[in-house]
Amino acid sequence: MSRVAALQLHTLAMSDSRIDHYLSLAAKGGASVVVLGEYVINSFFNDIIKMPKSMIKEQSEQKKSSLLAMANRYNLTIIAPLLQVKGKECKKVVAKFSPQSTKYEEQNVLIDYPHWNEAKFYSKKESFGIMSFSVDRIKFGVIFGFEAHFDRIWAEIVAKKIDCVLLPSACALNSSSRWNELLKMRAFTNNVYIVRANRLGKTKFDDIESEFYGQSMLINPHGEIENSLDSNEGMLMCDIDKKLILQARSIWKFRQKAEALLGLNI
């Protein structure tokens, strides 16, 4: 059994008091892993594209130092999407801060709609891959919200033998029902847990105001939403049960079939 805390927050202020408060609560509640939503460390994309890169870098660097210190202080593995600025390039990555190490993985597939075009702004990743790690005998994988749409990503989840997918997101535009159905299907057909951490806040797309609605959730390997938050700031504690994962795979056998299709028979 492993416990994950999903934090549902607006973009953090420069002060560390709020994130420190939640990380302290997570540790006291028995969490080993904490996941933040997209654009919580940095401002949302519509603001980012108007910022000097020096300001983007300052946002990221300040929080990187703080999260590493808090990972050590509370003995946590912290998963946090953030932006890396190197020269003229800006990369969208997920970071893993733990007492043992700090690692980064770039997003594989970037959204490229006319009203929200990350692919045009961020640098393109050179090679495919997802972040994975193990805590409390659970194998975790991390993907960005937009990547949940693509079968190639889920093939990698199978290939890496992931038990629980951590999914930071920034979902808005009245998309709640679609996201619920997509993630329930992905959890069910891959027999994995999904912990989705969605950000809060407001933005405008083409002068239309939209709200990031939260609804962070835990979906079990049977494709059922076990628990979720509403549209308010908060923390969702999620228990990841290896026995339930094995039960779902024994009943439905989707994972074994997927492994066989990939030539991963064990």
Side-chain angles (χ1 to χ4, degrees), residues 73-219:
R73 183 182 311 146
Y74 298 118
N75 193 30
L76 292 168
T77 297
I78 303 170
I79 302 300
L82 55 82
L83 304 180
Q84 285 185 331
V85 176
K86 294 183 178 180
K88 295 182 178 180
E89 286 193 335
C90 188
K91 297 181 179 181
K92 190 180 180 195
V93 306
V94 64
K96 179 177 78 73
F97 302 97
S98 73
Q100 293 76 36
S101 64
T102 300
K103 294 184 178 179
Y104 303 97
E105 186 74 47
E106 284 183 68
Q107 185 167 341
N108 294 283
V109 188
L110 294 163
I111 195 168
D112 60 352
Y113 299 131
H115 64 283
W116 184 348
N117 195 338
E118 294 184 359
K120 184 177 179 180
F121 184 79
Y122 299 125
S123 58
K124 186 178 180 180
K125 188 176 183 180
E126 293 181 359
S127 60
F128 180 85
I130 66 168
M131 178 179 286
S132 63
F133 61 95
S134 295
V135 175
D136 300 329
R137 298 170 65 184
I138 299 293
K139 185 77 174 288
F140 291 93
V142 187
I143 66 173
F144 286 84
F146 187 63
E147 294 179 318
H149 296 91
F150 303 103
D151 293 344
R152 178 66 182 87
I153 297 292
W154 293 96
E156 189 71 3
I157 294 294
V158 172
K160 288 202 165 189
K161 302 185 184 300
I162 302 300
D163 298 313
C164 177
V165 175
L166 305 176
L167 192 139
S169 64
C171 302
L173 297 169
N174 300 313
S175 60
S176 173
S177 296
R178 293 194 300 275
W179 275 101
N180 288 356
E181 297 308 313
L182 171 67
L183 297 182
K184 286 192 297 180
M185 180 274 289
R186 291 299 192 183
F188 179 48
T189 56
N190 290 277
N191 297 145
V192 294
Y193 279 98
I194 295 178
V195 178
R196 183 262 200 114
N198 195 32
R199 83 183 298 270
L200 298 174
K202 293 182 179 181
T203 192
K204 283 187 176 182
F205 296 103
D206 298 330
D207 296 325
I208 298 173
E209 189 166 280
S210 186
E211 185 171 3
F212 299 99
Y213 47 76
Q215 297 181 21
S216 298
M217 63 181 63
L218 170 67
I219 307 173

Side-chain angles (χ1 to χ4, degrees), residues 42 48-49 51-61 83-85 90 121:
N42 299 94
I48 286 292
I49 57 177
M51 283 185 185
K53 285 191 169 60
S54 59
M55 187 178 295
I56 300 171
K57 185 174 183 178
E58 182 182 3
Q59 272 189 337
S60 298
E61 293 300 321
L83 304 180
Q84 285 185 331
V85 176
C90 188
F121 184 79

